């Protein structure tokens, strides 16, 4: 599944490029001891895969090899493992000497349009991405489609002036230290999409710790003797959060009495359906979402009334991330669907 937005784009390709990759780590307000622990985590942070500099909490990660001049920055792809370079090819040159030739670092994508798979895949790499891709149908004007894998939350896609920006949040579990690698994604003039291996960061996970990573590019377009600047920016904020151990939904009537409930397994079955929604009979006045944090056994409750269009929450997965769930709420349904038996 993915979230998409379509915008117009031009087909100009004569560009001068400037690409930047920046990261910034921020903290939420915490007690003295949790701040001290977070400071220790900041000191312990290791920037991976390439040179780096550290100044006042801002991180500048080493850039990968710059893409070809006509290729545009079109996304960011995140993995929890580095992308290892291929084995150099040993060749015999014209002088009869054995030399090593590095392999092309580009990893080309497969676009899985109309399938149940992730919309973009890179040859078996496990990861998640945000994309802004250009498409063209026949002789029509090119258009942009922006979308992201479902793991991302707080999505914001903005077209403002001479820059397109895409922002999202990624939640990681506090059970283990997290490691994230950020790989820039490019699109060629012929439409092919590829990524270049990027750099990463590893840190201890304390609840509320945030780390923001941006990849941006500006391009000068020469058009009819005039120069115009276009830009793209992709920002992901990694947030450490306590994993969720249990999720349950309670159906409440207008007398504030529980008249039914759904377990986490029932909610997941509804979410996995092609036309997923939670059908609510007219005698349900509101619903309460209750979740238990695994580490502290803290109960967190959220109320969703009839003005709410969807039930939104997070669940823990084996990959170490917290995945978002969004289930549309259908109020005043004549009856609950046969496949859902409220308890």
């Amino acid at each position: 599944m993915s979230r998409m937005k379509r915008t117009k784009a031009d087909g100009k390709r004569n560009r001068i490029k400037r690409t930047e990759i920046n990261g910034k780590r921020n903290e939420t307000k915490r007690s003295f001891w949790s701040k001290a622990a977070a400071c220790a985590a900041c000191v312990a942070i290791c920037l991976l895969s390439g040179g780096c500099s550290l100044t006042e909490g801002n991180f500048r990660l080493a850039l990968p090899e710059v893409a070809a001049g006509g290729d545009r920055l079109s996304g960011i792809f995140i993995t929890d493992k580095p992308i290892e370079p291929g084995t150099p090819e040993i060749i015999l040159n014209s002088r009869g000497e054995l030399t090593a030739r590095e392999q092309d670092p580009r990893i080309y994508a497969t676009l899985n349009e109309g399938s149940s798979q992730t919309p973009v895949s890179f040859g078996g790499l496990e990861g998640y991405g945000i994309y802004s891709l250009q498409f063209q149908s026949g002789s029509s004007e090119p258009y942009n489609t922006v979308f992201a894998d479902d793991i991302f939350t707080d999505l914001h896609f903005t077209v403002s002036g001479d820059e397109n920006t895409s922002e999202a949040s990624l939640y990681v579990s506090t059970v283990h230290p997290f490691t994230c690698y950020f790989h820039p994604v490019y699109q060629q003039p012929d439409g092919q999409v590829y990524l270049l291996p990027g750099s990463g960061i590893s840190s201890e996970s304390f609840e509320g710790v945030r780390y923001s990573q941006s990849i941006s590019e500006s391009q000068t377009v020469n058009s009819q003797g005039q120069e115009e600047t276009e830009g793209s920016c992709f920002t992901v904020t990694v947030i450490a959060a306590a994993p969720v151990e249990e999720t349950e939904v309670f159906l409440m009537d207008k007398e504030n009495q529980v008249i039914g409930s759904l377990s986490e397994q029932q909610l997941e079955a509804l979410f996995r359906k092609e036309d997923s929604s939670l059908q609510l009979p007219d005698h349900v006045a509101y619903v309460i979402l209750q979740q238990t944090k695994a580490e502290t056994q803290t109960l967190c409750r959220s109320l969703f009334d009839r003005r709410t269009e969807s039930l939104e929450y997070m669940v823990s997965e084996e990959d170490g991330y917290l995945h978002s769930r969004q289930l549309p709420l259908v109020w005043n349904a004549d009856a609950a669907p046969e496949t859902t038996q409220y308890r």
Side-chain angles (χ1 to χ4, degrees):
M1 297 183 181
S2 61
R3 301 174 176 85
M4 297 191 178
K5 180 179 178 180
R6 175 168 166 165
T7 59
K8 290 184 178 179
D10 63 36
K12 303 169 186 174
R13 292 297 176 185
N14 186 16
R15 298 179 170 96
I16 301 173
K17 314 177 74 170
R18 179 171 60 85
T19 306
E20 296 180 354
I21 303 182
N22 298 292
K24 184 176 181 181
R25 184 178 180 279
N26 302 308
E27 297 178 6
T28 55
K29 294 183 178 180
R30 296 184 293 279
S31 66
F32 170 82
W33 290 111
S34 59
K35 283 185 177 181
C39 288
C42 184
V43 174
I45 286 180
C46 299
L47 293 177
L48 309 172
S49 296
C52 63
S53 62
L54 173 59
T55 305
E56 297 182 355
N58 290 306
F59 301 93
R60 182 175 295 277
L61 303 184
L63 284 172
E65 293 297 323
V66 178
D71 302 345
R72 57 182 290 271
L73 180 67
S74 299
I76 183 171
F77 188 74
I78 299 175
T79 63
D80 60 3
K81 295 181 178 63
I83 297 176
E84 301 294 343
T87 303
E89 182 184 359
I90 305 300
I91 61 173
L92 188 67
N93 64 20
S94 59
R95 295 189 299 271
E97 300 170 334
L98 291 176
T99 60
R101 182 169 61 188
E102 297 293 334
Q103 292 191 13
D104 187 344
R106 293 175 292 185
I107 300 175
Y108 280 89
T110 299
L111 303 182
N112 305 308
E113 188 176 358
S115 74
S116 59
Q117 307 175 53
T118 181
V120 180
S121 57
F122 294 93
L125 284 178
E126 294 185 4
Y128 305 97
I130 305 172
Y131 311 97
S132 175
L133 301 181
Q134 286 189 3
F135 296 97
Q136 186 172 11
S137 178
S139 60
S140 62
E141 185 179 0
Y143 62 90
N144 273 7
T145 298
V146 291
F147 55 96
D149 290 318
D150 273 348
I151 193 173
F152 295 101
T153 63
D154 309 322
L155 292 167
H156 298 283
F157 301 120
T158 306
V159 179
S160 176
D162 57 1
E163 184 175 59
N164 296 340
T165 61
S166 303
E167 301 176 348
S169 298
L170 179 67
Y171 284 80
V172 296
S173 171
T174 56
V175 173
H176 306 291
F178 73 84
T179 302
C180 290
Y181 290 84
F182 304 89
H183 313 286
V185 176
Y186 290 89
Q187 187 172 29
Q188 298 178 170
D190 62 4
Q192 291 191 81
V193 177
Y194 66 88
L195 65 74
L196 290 174
S199 300
I201 183 171
S202 178
S203 173
E204 294 293 332
S205 298
F206 298 97
E207 187 166 14
V209 169
R210 296 167 176 255
Y211 174 82
S212 294
Q213 174 68 30
S214 295
I215 298 179
S216 61
E217 175 186 278
S218 62
Q219 305 173 335
T220 300
V221 181
N222 298 316
S223 176
Q224 298 179 350
Q226 294 184 345
E227 291 189 349
E228 300 176 2
T229 300
E230 300 175 351
S232 299
C233 182
F234 297 87
T235 300
V236 175
T237 300
V238 181
I239 305 172
V244 176
E245 186 175 77
E246 185 178 359
T247 301
E248 192 169 12
V249 166
F250 297 97
L251 311 181
M252 312 295 294
D253 64 14
K254 62 182 180 180
E255 304 297 331
N256 301 317
Q257 299 297 311
V258 178
I259 56 177
S261 64
L262 289 97
S263 67
E264 184 173 346
Q265 292 73 23
Q266 289 175 301
L267 290 170
E268 191 67 13
L270 285 175
F271 177 78
R272 296 295 177 185
K273 291 177 60 178
E274 185 174 348
D275 184 19
S276 61
S277 64
L278 177 55
Q279 306 282 330
L280 298 168
D282 57 6
H283 56 280
V284 176
Y286 61 95
V287 300
I288 293 178
L289 172 72
Q290 176 176 289
Q291 293 190 294
T292 305
K293 296 293 184 68
E295 295 179 332
T296 61
Q297 296 300 304
T298 303
L299 288 178
C300 300
R301 297 186 178 93
S302 302
L303 187 147
F304 300 82
D305 61 19
R306 288 181 167 269
R307 294 170 297 181
T308 310
E309 295 181 351
S310 62
L311 183 70
E312 299 179 5
Y313 57 100
M314 308 285 289
V315 297
S316 301
E317 297 282 0
E318 294 180 356
D319 59 8
Y321 296 102
L322 275 69
H323 291 244
S324 65
R325 294 288 185 265
Q326 187 176 56
L327 199 59
L329 298 177
V330 180
W331 299 93
N332 296 324
D334 294 334
E338 296 179 1
T339 55
T340 304
Q341 297 297 321
Y342 299 142
R343 294 184 294 175

